Amino acid sequence: VTVKALRHYEEEGLLRPVRVDPQTGYRYYAAEQLVCLTQILQLKDLGFSLNEVRACLDAPESLAALLDARRTALARALAEDVGRLRRLDALRHGLAAGAPLDVVVRMLEPTRALTAREHVDLASDRITSLFETLERDAARAKARAAASPFLLFHDNCLDGDHADVEVCVPVRPGVRLDGVREVEGATEAAAVTYLGPYQQTPSLFVKLAAWCDADQCTVCGPLRETYRRFGAGQRGYSLPEWMLAGPSSEYVTELAMPVRRVPA
Amino acid sequence: VTVKALRHYEEEGLLRPVRVDPQTGYRYYAAEQLVCLTQILQLKDLGFSLNEVRACLDAPESLAALLDARRTALARALAEDVGRLRRLDALRHGLAAGAPLDVVVRMLEPTRALTAREHVDLASDRITSLFETLERDAARAKARAAASPFLLFHDNCLDGDHADVEVCVPVRPGVRLDGVREVEGATEAAAVTYLGPYQQTPSLFVKLAAWCDADQCTVCGPLRETYRRFGAGQRGYSLPEWMLAGPSSEYVTELAMPVRRVPA
DNA sequence: TTGCTCCTCACGTCACGTGAGGTGGC
DNA sequence: TTGCTCCTCACGTCACGTGAGGTGGC
């Protein structure tokens, strides 16, 4: 422990010197205080803040509860770090395989959404009209959450002219409405964000698939296409301005593919 | 992302708005900047600081090295957290078993020390004279490190009147000298610090052993008795004042027992 | 007009680290 | 006397959060 740390503990009222020379201001500590100091250092090492350390020492009867709380927090932090490490490895492997930086590994939050699943003709405007309908329904029920709408490709295939898709419009948590479900998230997903019209989706899908291949990843969920900025009819509903784009050259779209690292 | 975060990224030169209205000061961002923002957020989530994020974006060619460095750091942090969690559990179990707070779970650093191992009569002053000899030897070689001397009980038994002990005087790292060795540390050790003469050691040893029993721990190394404040002859050597105590009632001693949690 | 978002300071957070400038004991 | 440790301010760290007080667009 440094002098500065001891001074700090004194300021925080954790460890007062037994004597402070009024002449020189020198702090003197008693041998017994080593016991207290050791406790402070131990609790600090377990991840407690100095305030929490004070709580532990002041109220030993609630120590058990504080330890349990700390344990929970530590376990969660640890789990998050494990996820971080995996995402880092995924990125690193993709990089080694020559993937461009614009493929990003991130988490997908689980989202409550009003959805409609259908086998659609990709050449038609069926998807658009489904979105218009759901937006209107969500607006009527005052359930719309301020998050981007998205599309799930349940067969993870964009080669044909038809696909099994699910149109999703986020709603506020707790909303109960017919057609609302909890769309699963993913701890890791390979993602690309692109600018411009939707024609790029199929080629980017191929790029993502190649990335996963090179990276020893397996796809473990439906491809998710999130519309960050897009064009909307806004008949019977209205969206915040940050979601909207004028010409399709200004659309911003994210393709995300949930993956799992294959254990090597 | 909050506005404040965007402002912060601008100050840090990570993400400049395409246009700032000179009248109102309003910041305007282009749709393409979402790509850059996503990268920033991803790297930040992987644990990079904003400075490191800038380095990653400015010099993509060194990204691989930066990722590797991050991976190493993350893995180490993770391992430390695992240790923390185990120590926390050990403390929690000890507490549930009614152990007093003064039994503390901590790490023992591995230490380079000048040592002498011998089967001694505990009633004699053989241990004291061994310490005097080693202190003198260490001082003569100008090798003494500023750390407390300690004693290892290799048979982990204090019942009899004899014991297999190793007297240890810390030396500076890198010192090569006959009798110097690297004394192993421990990731977890149950420890008590006590005040006063050495007669208390046996009863505290029993207490520690009971603690370990209650806590489903097995002893996995020699008991270590560290002399934090003690009396010394200082003939042929001298010690810093913080190590020294006058009467034996002011001695400060720590007993530490390396333990391993038995997997439940 | 009301409510909302944006703006610019400027200070707070957390556990100390790091000088700046000065002093007492060996 | 030199070198060392202690002292007291006071500011820095890191990534923003949080008001305080004010303004422009709907």
Side-chain angles (χ1 to χ4, degrees), chain A residues 31-32 34 42 45-46 63-64 67-68 70-71 78 81 84 87-89 92 101 104-105 195 252, chain B residues 31-32 34 42 45-46 63-64 67-68 70-71 78 81 84 87-89 92 101 104-105 195 252:
Chain A
E32 308 91 88
L34 265 181
Q42 180 203 19
D45 172 71
L46 293 179
L63 180 60
L67 285 178
D68 288 341
R70 191 84 269 282
R71 206 213 118 90
L78 211 139
D81 269 359
R84 244 177 220 108
R87 269 172 271 146
L88 210 162
D89 281 344
R92 179 65 236 259
L101 182 58
V104 128
V105 182
L195 192 71
V252 177
Chain B
E32 307 91 88
L34 266 180
Q42 180 201 19
D45 172 71
L46 293 178
L63 180 60
L67 285 179
D68 289 341
R70 192 83 270 280
R71 207 214 117 90
L78 212 139
D81 269 0
R84 245 177 220 110
R87 269 172 272 144
L88 211 161
D89 281 344
R92 181 64 236 260
L101 182 58
V104 126
V105 181
L195 190 72
V252 177

Side-chain angles (χ1 to χ4, degrees), chain A:
Chain A
V1 270
T2 67
V3 246
K4 183 64 199 172
L6 286 179
R7 281 201 269 273
H8 190 57
Y9 299 155
E10 185 191 353
E11 279 169 20
E12 294 290 315
L14 280 170
L15 190 67
R16 243 174 297 278
V18 280
R19 194 172 79 83
V20 178
D21 189 309
Q23 290 295 326
T24 64
Y26 275 37
R27 278 165 257 259
Y28 294 92
Y29 293 87
E32 308 91 88
Q33 300 197 276
L34 265 181
V35 176
C36 182
L37 179 61
T38 309
Q39 286 175 1
I40 293 173
L41 294 179
Q42 180 203 19
L43 292 171
K44 216 169 64 70
D45 172 71
L46 293 179
F48 286 102
S49 73
L50 292 192
N51 275 329
E52 292 166 329
V53 168
R54 192 182 317 106
C56 290
L57 299 182
D58 286 359
E61 71 280 2
S62 60
L63 180 60
L66 290 165
L67 285 178
D68 288 341
R70 191 84 269 282
R71 206 213 118 90
T72 309
L74 233 182
R76 193 159 39 74
L78 211 139
E80 278 173 16
D81 269 359
V82 169
R84 244 177 220 108
L85 197 60
R86 294 184 48 184
R87 269 172 271 146
L88 210 162
D89 281 344
L91 186 64
R92 179 65 236 259
H93 281 83
L95 194 70
L101 182 58
D102 56 4
V103 175
V104 128
V105 182
R106 67 184 208 88
M107 202 196 305
L108 296 181
E109 299 283 347
T111 308
R112 205 167 169 71
L114 177 62
T115 81
R117 183 164 174 179
E118 206 170 278
H119 199 75
V120 299
D121 178 354
L122 291 171
S124 75
D125 57 359
R126 181 63 187 151
I127 290 173
T128 305
S129 76
L130 281 171
F131 267 120
E132 291 292 321
T133 307
L134 292 192
E135 285 288 5
R136 230 164 4 231
D137 291 350
R140 198 172 308 134
K142 296 187 187 310
R144 187 66 164 91
S148 297
F150 57 95
L151 185 67
L152 300 175
F153 289 89
H154 281 288
D155 41 18
N156 269 317
C157 173
L158 289 172
D159 298 350
D161 42 0
H162 283 73
D164 174 13
V165 303
E166 185 170 5
V167 170
C168 305
V169 168
V171 297
R172 290 200 307 273
V175 163
R176 286 180 197 292
L177 200 65
D178 221 42
V180 165
R181 76 174 189 99
E182 193 78 18
V183 178
E184 18 357 285
T187 50
E188 288 144 76
V192 235
T193 297
Y194 72 88
L195 192 71
Y198 301 133
Q199 285 97 57
Q200 303 171 67
T201 293
S203 73
L204 283 171
F205 172 79
V206 172
K207 195 166 168 182
L208 270 184
W211 192 91
C212 294
D213 237 39
D215 193 19
Q216 307 273 331
C217 285
T218 51
V219 179
C220 66
L223 181 70
R224 188 193 285 212
E225 185 172 61
T226 306
Y227 307 106
R228 303 237 172 262
R229 283 172 72 93
F230 55 95
Q234 298 202 85
R235 269 182 268 277
Y237 66 96
S238 82
L239 295 172
E241 200 175 343
W242 58 265
M243 280 193 194
L244 301 171
S248 71
S249 65
E250 285 177 5
Y251 290 5
V252 177
T253 312
E254 185 188 40
L255 269 181
M257 189 181 266
V259 293
R260 189 173 18 231
R261 295 286 318 271
V262 179

Side-chain angles (χ1 to χ4, degrees), chain B residues 184-196:
Chain B
E184 19 357 284
T187 50
E188 288 145 76
V192 234
T193 298
Y194 71 89
L195 190 72

